[in-house]
């Protein structure tokens, strides 16, 4: 069956309300719903919700959660020699189970190219971003001489805020030693991701990493190198497109942001979300699936179901039972 046909026959996961064995609490994020099991386990259910500009958009994108969970699972394994990760198992296409960590309230954003938020700030005349210099004479999608780290402070509500390393330390978010290690690991992860992407004919443009502490050690948490957290260009034709000053061919959810901007929505107060049509929703799904297949080099197996929540509950409970 064609993927386009399957898209119309599956039920997107937009809300969860599980009560797993041993569950002690639950937290519902923009995309991931986190269930705490006992004192040391977390069950992350990756929904099909899509967020942009810190707002949840639409009624859910079929298979988006499976794409995110699948890519993140592969990359968490691929970087475990660089930093310990929270992942233990992926018992379901939409689920990762891992260690409970104390989150560090930062997003470690690293940018190899003048794209997206960095470009918008550059056009506005700024030549530093989060304390990192941006050289004169760059045009959109040009590479930085060296990737720049532009952290964001995670807000309890609303937009995350750009923050400098000096502000991170002055606010006591982490110690100087921990921050230095976060920067070192961030650069090492980006280098690994860049290498893997290049082997698949892609350019890893920018991404973000989130970390937590467990038993006094830094651990990589959340997702990694997914289309929600990262931006990719196709390597073939990149130089020619730059020389001709035409848009880069990219794989990310930036095209969703660009569409929202064209509809006068950037998550600002007083703005109304536009309605995403079924056709555009299918385009989003296919773009997510395309990235999965491109970055992993494997075909995406659509786990189509009209009762995905029942499937998830069954698979998680079986895993918890076997672990016990």
């Amino acid at each position: 069956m064609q993927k386009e046909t399957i898209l119309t026959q599956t039920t997107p996961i937009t809300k969860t309300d599980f009560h797993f064995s041993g569950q002690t609490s639950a937290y519902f994020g923009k995309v991931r719903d986190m269930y705490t099991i006992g004192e040391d386990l977390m069950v992350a259910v990756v929904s099909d919700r899509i967020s942009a500009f810190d707002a949840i958009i639409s009624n859910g994108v079929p298979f988006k959660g499976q794409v995110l969970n699948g890519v993140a699972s592969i990359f968490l394994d691929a970087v475990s020699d660089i930093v310990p990760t929270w992942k233990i198992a992926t018992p379901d296409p939409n689920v990762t189970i891992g260690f409970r960590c104390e989150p560090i309230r930062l997003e470690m954003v690293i940018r190899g190219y003048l794209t997206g938020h960095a470009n918008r700030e550059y056009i506005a005349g700024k030549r530093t971003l989060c304390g990192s210099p941006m050289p004169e004479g760059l045009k959109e999608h040009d590479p930085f001489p060296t990737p720049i780290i532009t952290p964001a402070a995670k807000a309890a509500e609303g937009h995350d805020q750009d923050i400098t390393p000096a502000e991170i330390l002055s606010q006591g978010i982490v110690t100087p030693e921990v921050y230095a290690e976060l920067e070192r690991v961030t650069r090492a992860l980006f280098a690994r991701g860049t290498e893997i992407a290049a082997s698949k004919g892609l350019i890893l443009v920018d991404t973000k990493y989130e970390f937590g502490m467990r038993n006094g050690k830094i651990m990589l948490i959340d997702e990694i190198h997914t289309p929600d957290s990262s931006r990719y260009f196709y390597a073939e034709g990149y130089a020619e497109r730059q020389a001709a000053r035409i848009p880069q061919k990219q794989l990310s959810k930036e095209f969703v942001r660009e569409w929202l901007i064209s509809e006068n929505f950037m998550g600002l107060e007083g703005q109304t979300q536009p309605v995403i049509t079924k056709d555009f929703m299918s385009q989003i799904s296919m773009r997510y699936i395309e990235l999965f297949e491109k970055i992993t080099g494997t075909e995406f197996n659509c786990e189509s179901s009209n009762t995905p929540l029942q499937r998830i509950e069954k698979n998680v409970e079986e895993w918890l039972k076997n672990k016990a």
Side-chain angles (χ1 to χ4, degrees):
M1 187 182 296
Q2 293 293 321
K3 291 186 176 70
E4 291 87 345
T5 303
I6 297 175
L7 290 176
T8 65
Q9 298 180 354
T10 191
T11 302
I13 300 170
T14 58
K15 182 179 180 181
T16 75
D17 184 24
F18 292 112
H19 300 276
F20 297 122
S21 298
Q23 180 176 317
T24 53
S25 65
Y27 167 79
F28 304 98
K30 290 191 287 287
V31 174
R32 284 165 177 74
D33 295 341
M34 306 296 295
Y35 294 87
T36 303
I37 308 297
E39 295 183 354
D40 200 38
L41 289 181
M42 299 292 293
V43 174
V45 179
V46 188
S47 75
D48 295 319
R49 299 188 295 268
I50 185 168
S51 70
F53 302 115
D54 291 315
I56 296 174
I57 309 297
S58 84
N59 295 319
V61 178
F63 301 115
K64 175 178 176 288
Q66 290 184 33
V67 167
L68 296 187
N69 199 56
V71 172
S73 179
I74 289 169
F75 271 105
L76 286 168
D77 291 341
V79 302
S80 60
D81 61 318
I82 295 174
V83 61
T85 81
W86 78 290
K87 176 191 167 184
I88 298 173
T90 53
D92 181 272
N94 287 81
V95 175
T96 294
I97 296 178
F99 295 110
R100 182 177 181 272
C101 302
E102 183 63 34
I104 296 172
R105 305 306 297 175
L106 291 172
E107 288 185 350
M108 294 298 289
V109 182
I110 182 166
R111 306 175 186 275
Y113 294 75
L114 182 68
T115 299
H117 174 60
N119 183 61
R120 290 189 284 271
E121 294 292 281
Y122 198 86
I123 291 173
K126 296 184 179 180
R127 291 300 178 265
T128 62
L129 185 60
C130 302
S132 292
M134 298 187 291
E136 292 286 352
L138 296 180
K139 61 180 184 292
E140 185 177 16
H141 305 322
D142 275 350
F144 291 116
T146 302
I148 64 173
I149 293 177
T150 59
K154 292 187 69 63
E157 295 182 3
H159 294 272
D160 296 339
Q161 298 293 323
D162 289 346
I163 190 170
T164 68
E167 290 169 336
I168 290 170
L169 299 181
S170 68
Q171 294 177 25
I173 297 175
V174 293
T175 66
E177 294 76 18
V178 167
Y179 184 74
E181 181 64 3
L182 291 178
E183 282 210 347
R184 185 194 70 78
V185 170
T186 293
R187 292 194 181 278
L189 293 173
F190 191 69
R192 178 67 56 79
T194 298
E195 178 185 352
I196 295 173
S199 73
K200 308 297 184 182
L202 296 173
I203 296 170
L204 179 58
V205 177
D206 54 37
T207 191
K208 70 176 181 69
Y209 305 112
E210 297 191 35
F211 299 92
M213 302 295 293
R214 181 173 182 266
N215 298 331
K217 294 183 178 180
I218 294 173
M219 297 192 78
L220 178 65
I221 62 173
D222 200 57
E223 61 184 351
I224 172 176
H225 297 162
T226 73
D228 268 20
S229 67
S230 313
R231 194 188 325 260
Y232 293 89
F233 291 156
Y234 279 89
E236 183 179 0
Y238 165 79
E240 292 79 5
R241 284 187 286 270
Q242 279 302 94
R245 300 290 183 95
I246 60 178
Q248 287 296 329
K249 185 179 180 184
Q250 61 176 291
L251 281 173
S252 72
K253 70 173 183 181
E254 182 64 18
F255 79 102
V256 178
R257 298 188 191 97
E258 291 172 351
W259 183 84
L260 290 169
I261 291 172
S262 74
E263 296 290 323
N264 299 313
F265 181 78
M266 293 182 67
L268 302 177
E269 187 175 351
Q271 293 182 334
T272 301
Q273 284 188 26
V275 176
I276 297 181
T277 66
K278 287 185 177 179
D279 285 345
F280 189 53
M281 194 67 69
S282 293
Q283 290 181 42
I284 298 172
S285 291
M286 293 308 296
R287 291 282 285 270
Y288 272 85
I289 291 170
E290 180 185 1
L291 187 139
F292 177 94
E293 295 183 336
K294 186 69 177 177
I295 195 63
T296 66
T298 61
E299 183 178 2
F300 179 75
N301 294 316
C302 301
E303 187 69 34
S304 180
S305 174
N306 289 324
T307 57
L309 298 180
Q310 292 180 22
R311 185 200 73 218
I312 289 170
E313 184 171 31
K314 175 179 177 292
N315 288 337
V316 171
E317 289 292 356
E318 284 184 356
W319 188 91
L320 293 172
K321 180 180 178 181
N322 291 334
K323 183 181 183 301

